[in-house]
């Protein structure tokens, strides 16, 4: 395993981490084997968000027997499991209860990186402060329960705003070839804004832990990949690790087979690591398909068209958190009045009015 040093916290972090959102999909025994195999292969960074509350029990079984000191946990203030499965909340009492339960389940008395959870909109950040959630997180840090503060976000402008106000040790951010697609400003923010964020993190010593390295699985499917062919897990992981500021990539792992595909990064050939295929994509390759560039903004109805499309695409490939984030948007596909504004301004010739109907039908609103 290769390790990188977080310049702010001085922690030695494995370049491959493990996301837990789908850890228990194949049952308890498979989950235990995944964690054991990860640990035996040098993985020491574990993100605990998404999926079911069982993920905390699995980690306790594997890491509370003297191994706790060897690993790092990311816990998220805002991810709650009061019904057994992942939910998202801005209720301070619910968040505090969830964190206390998680600490007991993990059989630990400290959190390595306590994360401000999933801030993509300025108003959500404002609510965090008004409701006292940020103050709560800081109290945990003062008590020594949180060792370092972190933030998860998909939006570079918002991430930088929070970095201006909060001393972060870690940023969890979505990085992959599709989201950084330089022609179409794929995902949230332009390619320039996204790269500026990565460079700022490297300059200030804020480590980046990468989520969504496969764009919700789309890049591994030749029918969904914007590059016209499937990329491999290794290509996507290498791409993310080559970005400034990145310390570790934490893909969600549901099976030992997938974990071994991820671990193959460590002994892959230069040919297997080569992701230059992404340079062949041009705007015409994705004509008629939303690439989340938001060139149609502002929507007269206030819909964040790019984000609505993004959460829809991720939800269709099984990302439960994306469906939850869609629900928490202020405006949804059902708010579209078919004014034709987005169709007229889309550089990729997407019939967005039809897409909004499709999303409304799929999501239910």
């Amino acid at each position: 395993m290769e390790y990188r040093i977080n310049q702010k916290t001085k922690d030695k972090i494995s370049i491959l981490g493990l996301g837990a959102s789908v850890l228990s999909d194949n049952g308890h025994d498979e989950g235990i084997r995944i964690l054991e195999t990860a640990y035996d292969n040098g993985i020491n960074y574990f993100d605990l968000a998404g999926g079911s509350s069982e993920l905390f029990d699995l980690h306790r079984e594997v890491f509370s027997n003297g191994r706790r000191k060897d690993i790092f946990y990311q816990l998220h203030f805002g991810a709650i499991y009061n019904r057994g499965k992942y939910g998202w909340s801005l209720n301070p009492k619910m968040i505090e209860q969830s964190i206390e339960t998680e600490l007991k389940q993990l059989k630990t008395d400290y959190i390595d990186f306590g994360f401000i959870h999933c801030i993509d909109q300025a108003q959500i950040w404002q609510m965090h402060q008004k409701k006292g959630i940020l103050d709560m997180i800081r109290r945990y840090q003062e008590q020594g329960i949180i060792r370092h503060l972190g933030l998860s976000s998909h939006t570079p402008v918002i991430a930088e705003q929070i970095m201006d106000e909060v001393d972060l040790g870690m940023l969890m951010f979505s990085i992959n070839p599709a989201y950084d697609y330089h022609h179409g400003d794929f995902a949230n923010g332009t390619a320039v804004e996204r790269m500026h964020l990565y460079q700022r993190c490297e300059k200030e010593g804020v480590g980046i832990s990468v989520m969504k390295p496969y764009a919700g699985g789309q890049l591994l499917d030749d029918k969904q990949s914007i590059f016209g062919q499937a990329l491999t897990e290794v290509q996507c992981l290498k791409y993310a690790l080559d970005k400034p500021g990145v310390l570790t990539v934490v893909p969600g792992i549901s099976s030992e087979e997938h974990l071994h595909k991820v671990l193959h990064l460590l002994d892959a050939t230069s040919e297997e690591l080569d992701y230059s295929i992404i340079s062949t994509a041009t705007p015409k390759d994705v004509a008629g398909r939303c690439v989340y560039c938001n060139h149609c903004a502002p929507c007269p109805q206030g819909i964040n068209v790019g984000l609505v499309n993004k959460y829809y695409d991720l939800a269709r490939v099984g990302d439960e958190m994306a469906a939850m984030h869609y629900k928490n948007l202020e405006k949804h596909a059902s708010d579209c009045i078919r004014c034709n504004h987005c169709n007229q301004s889309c550089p990729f010739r997407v019939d967005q009015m039809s897409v909004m109907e499709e999303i409304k039908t799929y999501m239910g609103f």
Side-chain angles (χ1 to χ4, degrees):
M1 180 60 65
E2 179 185 336
Y3 297 87
R4 295 179 178 180
I5 303 298
N6 184 311
Q7 295 304 313
K8 215 166 211 185
T9 71
K10 306 308 177 186
D11 293 312
K12 185 179 178 181
I13 294 173
S14 56
I15 60 169
L16 295 176
L18 193 145
S21 60
V22 289
L23 180 63
S24 60
D25 280 7
N26 290 329
H28 172 274
D29 291 346
E30 178 84 345
I32 293 295
R33 286 194 296 270
I34 290 168
L35 292 176
E36 291 280 5
T37 302
Y39 179 81
D40 290 344
N41 282 275
I43 290 177
N44 69 359
Y45 200 85
F46 298 86
D47 177 63
L48 304 179
S52 70
S53 59
E54 185 184 0
L55 68 93
F56 300 99
D57 296 325
L58 294 173
H59 283 76
R60 180 192 66 245
E61 287 189 44
V62 175
F63 298 123
S64 64
N65 57 356
R67 294 172 170 176
R68 174 68 181 95
K69 66 183 185 305
D70 301 327
I71 65 168
F72 302 97
Y73 282 144
Q74 282 188 176
L75 263 68
H76 297 249
F77 285 69
I80 61 170
Y81 300 85
N82 59 331
R83 295 184 179 179
K85 287 206 168 187
Y86 167 81
W88 185 76
S89 178
L90 291 174
N91 183 310
K93 186 175 181 180
M94 291 180 68
I95 293 172
E96 185 171 16
Q97 288 174 343
S98 185
I99 289 292
E100 294 295 335
T101 299
E102 291 163 26
L103 287 169
K104 289 178 183 177
Q105 282 185 268
L106 290 169
K107 204 174 178 180
T108 187
D109 58 2
Y110 69 95
I111 302 165
D112 300 282
F113 294 92
F115 270 65
I116 305 165
H117 184 55
C118 197
I119 310 296
D120 284 331
Q121 297 171 297
Q123 59 266 37
I124 299 297
W125 174 234
Q126 292 165 5
M127 290 174 68
H128 262 69
Q129 297 172 87
K130 289 179 181 177
K131 288 176 175 286
I133 299 170
L134 179 60
D135 290 337
M136 177 208 307
I137 296 172
R138 282 176 166 153
R139 283 197 302 273
Y140 274 95
Q141 187 178 29
E142 290 169 0
Q143 294 165 8
I145 297 172
I146 292 176
R147 293 190 169 178
H148 309 289
L149 292 183
L151 165 72
S152 66
S153 178
H154 307 80
T155 309
V157 172
I158 298 300
E160 292 217 46
Q161 177 189 336
I162 296 173
M163 287 177 68
D164 289 340
E165 302 174 31
V166 179
D167 184 20
L168 298 177
M170 204 78 172
L171 169 69
M172 191 176 202
F173 198 75
S174 51
I175 301 177
N176 60 63
Y179 289 7
D180 286 341
Y181 184 61
H182 65 283
H183 291 297
D185 301 336
F186 207 83
N188 290 352
T190 66
V192 172
E193 289 170 337
R194 294 171 68 81
M195 182 54 73
H196 185 270
L197 173 63
Y198 310 154
Q199 292 171 334
R200 177 176 176 180
C201 285
E202 182 166 87
K203 180 180 179 181
E204 297 183 9
V206 178
I208 300 176
S209 59
V210 175
M211 58 179 161
K212 302 290 189 298
Y214 316 134
Q218 293 180 30
L219 289 174
L220 305 180
D221 184 339
D222 58 1
K223 295 182 176 62
Q224 296 190 67
S225 172
I226 68 167
F227 303 111
Q229 69 177 60
L231 300 181
T232 65
E233 287 86 354
V234 165
Q235 286 173 312
C236 294
L237 296 169
K238 173 63 173 168
Y239 174 88
L241 286 165
D242 283 346
K243 291 292 161 285
V246 171
L247 299 184
T248 185
V249 186
V250 288
I253 304 293
S254 63
S255 69
E256 282 190 278
E257 179 185 3
H258 181 207
L259 177 57
H260 285 295
K261 287 182 179 179
V262 169
L263 289 169
H264 179 51
L265 175 80
L266 304 176
D267 57 15
T269 66
S270 57
E271 289 78 15
E272 290 174 312
L273 294 171
D274 181 12
Y275 51 80
S276 61
I277 180 63
I278 68 175
S279 66
T280 65
T282 61
K284 68 177 183 299
D285 294 323
V286 289
R289 176 175 180 172
C290 181
V291 297
Y292 323 150
C293 70
N294 280 320
H295 284 302
C296 58
C299 167
Q301 289 296 100
I303 302 170
N304 187 326
V305 175
L307 207 52
V308 164
N309 275 269
K310 177 181 177 181
Y311 288 154
Y312 168 58
D313 287 342
L314 292 175
R316 283 192 305 163
V317 294
D319 189 328
E320 293 181 4
M321 286 192 286
M324 179 65 70
H325 295 325
Y326 173 84
K327 181 179 179 181
N328 287 310
L329 290 173
E330 288 189 349
K331 298 283 187 174
H332 304 94
S334 57
D335 292 300
C336 175
I337 59 173
R338 300 180 66 83
C339 67
N340 205 41
H341 168 78
C342 49
N343 283 17
Q344 292 177 334
S345 56
C346 178
F348 300 103
R349 302 184 296 282
V350 177
D351 182 3
Q352 197 62 250
M353 293 191 297
S354 296
V355 172
M356 286 293 154
E357 283 295 318
E358 179 183 316
I359 296 173
K360 181 176 71 172
T361 299
Y362 184 90
M363 294 294 198
F365 55 99

